[in-house]
Amino acid sequence: MSAPAATQPVSEFERETLPGQGGLGEASGAYWDRIKGGDLGALPAVIGALVLVIVFGIMEPDSFLTEQNFANLLNQGAAIMVLAMGLVFVLLLGEIDLSAGFTAGTGAAILGVTLTQHGWSWPLAVLAALATGVAIGFALAVLVARLGIPSFVVSLAFFLGLQGAMLLIIGEGGTIPIRDGAVLKVMNQNMSVGLGWLFAAIVIAGFAATSLRAIQTRRRAGLPVPAMSVWAAKVGALAVVVLVVVFLLNQERQRANAPIVIQGVPWVVPLVAVLVVALTFLLGRTSFGRHVYAVGGNAEAARRAGINVPNIKTLCFILGSTLAIVAGILLASRDNSVSPTTGGAQTLLYAVGAAVIGGTSLFGGRGRIVDAVTGGLVVAIIANGLPLVTQKSGVQFIINGLVLLLAASVDAISRRRAAATGR
């Protein structure tokens, strides 16, 4: 019997032809197989956003399809997106945080009090608010991860308790005005036109460089990589979206005969972009992120594999509450004030809806940070467009509820289909 052949190094040509190296056709086929297997990802959110834009655009073209309304839509959705980013970490574990909205409000209240009543500088006030978020998240995690109390019960208790804390901090019926220029700038001022185009170039070039580096790293390791045509298509698609958005935001959008010119990308847009990049890296490129998915998929299996499940849950709840504080600061900046209703009303429902609509599973183990952005965009379009179509609050509540129910139903059906196909 002949001796086995020696293993030869993988050549560059062989690496180019490894499985997964097909072009756009093969990539499209693989994506379609994922959809048929129940892995819909952000597809429902993208389709939903397009349908809503078309519907509202047809019904109210003069008010909805304007540059001014587009900028307002991004400002309205920014805080919800950030709050939903925090909830993604909690939902990935298969848990829930019903107190996130009033965590945001409590952080905004502390920011307002320290700025106006104690005269702190804005960096110290922001740090105090963020420290509050860390403390709230740690307290939630101790009760859920260490004592084993269901997260629904614990977060519901915090939901009620934090409302009381806000009333004690602000005063019943009181309102704290925000006058700090740096805080107000985030949601009320725009980048210059040139800076907006520079931001677009950085986003496109950054995505192209990081994704190309990831392909080269996998290729050197002998792992399957997508064809360069797939990479180029993704970069091109992102470039088109980013350039169109920046172009629209750089148009003058003030009313006729207005004394000032309003144009440029709102400052909150790069803030949300930085959070998306940083948190996506945390979930997708670190051992912590892999452990989060493992715990959400099967906590017992993760524990047996040596993962410290309580610590992972603790960090996720802390991240969720800290990001809720960031959302609260954005709400205070947008409203120029803080009141006992900040973070209340439908804020939490919108944030949970944004995460779920974007593709994050309520059952844990599946979701991405970008889901909060795509879902948040859908929620913002609904919140922005419905009042233009109807002033009846009852109709608006019913439609919002139906959208959330539809998103949860899609999640349940796709999860069942994935289990049936073994994906």
Side-chain angles (χ1 to χ4, degrees), residues 6-319:
T7 302
Q8 298 295 326
V10 179
S11 67
E12 288 298 319
F13 175 77
E14 289 170 325
R15 285 175 181 169
E16 290 289 340
T17 56
L18 283 169
Q21 183 64 30
L24 289 174
E26 184 175 327
S28 300
Y31 182 63
W32 179 245
D33 289 339
R34 285 170 49 197
I35 293 175
K36 291 191 296 183
D39 185 6
L40 300 179
L43 182 62
V46 174
I47 295 176
L50 292 175
V51 171
L52 288 169
V53 168
I54 293 172
V55 171
F56 289 139
I58 292 174
M59 298 180 71
E60 295 290 337
D62 296 332
S63 53
F64 185 78
L65 296 178
T66 63
E67 292 88 352
Q68 177 64 45
N69 193 56
F70 181 53
N72 290 340
L73 190 150
L74 294 179
N75 276 335
Q76 287 176 343
I80 297 299
M81 291 177 187
V82 175
L83 188 59
M85 289 180 200
L87 286 171
V88 166
F89 283 94
V90 179
L91 292 173
L92 281 173
L93 300 174
E95 306 286 357
I96 190 65
D97 182 5
L98 299 177
S99 66
F102 282 110
T103 298
T106 302
I110 290 176
L111 176 77
V113 167
T114 52
L115 283 175
T116 59
Q117 298 181 12
H118 298 285
W120 290 16
S121 62
W122 73 264
L124 288 177
V126 169
L127 285 176
L130 293 176
T132 303
V134 172
I136 292 173
F138 181 76
L140 284 166
V142 167
L143 296 172
V144 173
R146 308 290 175 174
L147 296 184
I149 305 175
S151 58
F152 179 88
V153 176
V154 173
S155 59
L156 181 60
F158 274 70
F159 173 87
L160 299 172
L162 290 175
Q163 289 185 66
M166 286 184 65
L167 289 174
L168 293 175
I169 295 171
I170 299 174
E172 295 190 26
T175 298
I176 302 176
I178 302 294
R179 297 289 182 263
D180 187 90
V183 175
L184 295 177
K185 182 178 181 179
V186 177
M187 294 289 282
N188 297 284
Q189 292 190 22
N190 307 308
M191 306 166 70
S192 65
V193 172
L195 202 56
W197 287 119
L198 177 61
F199 167 70
I202 291 174
V203 170
I204 297 169
F207 175 79
T210 53
S211 56
L212 180 60
R213 182 180 178 184
I215 291 174
Q216 293 172 340
T217 301
R218 291 179 62 85
R219 181 176 295 156
R220 285 193 296 269
L223 298 173
V225 295
M228 294 306 296
S229 58
V230 176
W231 170 81
K234 291 181 178 180
V235 174
L238 177 70
V240 169
V241 172
V242 172
L243 292 176
V244 168
V245 168
V246 173
F247 173 78
L248 291 175
L249 293 174
N250 278 341
Q251 304 304 304
E252 294 184 7
R253 51 182 185 268
Q254 71 277 5
R255 294 182 178 179
N257 302 321
I260 59 173
V261 175
I262 302 176
Q263 62 182 156
V265 179
W267 278 105
V268 72
V269 173
L271 172 62
V272 172
V274 168
L275 287 175
V276 169
V277 172
L279 297 175
T280 297
F281 177 84
L282 181 63
L283 270 182
R285 299 297 180 89
T286 66
S287 58
F288 166 75
R290 291 189 291 272
H291 291 171
V292 170
Y293 285 108
V295 172
N298 190 321
E300 180 59 24
R303 185 189 66 80
R304 290 177 181 274
I307 297 175
N308 192 321
V309 175
N311 282 355
I312 295 297
K313 289 188 175 183
T314 299
L315 290 174
C316 284
F317 273 101
I318 289 175
L319 282 169

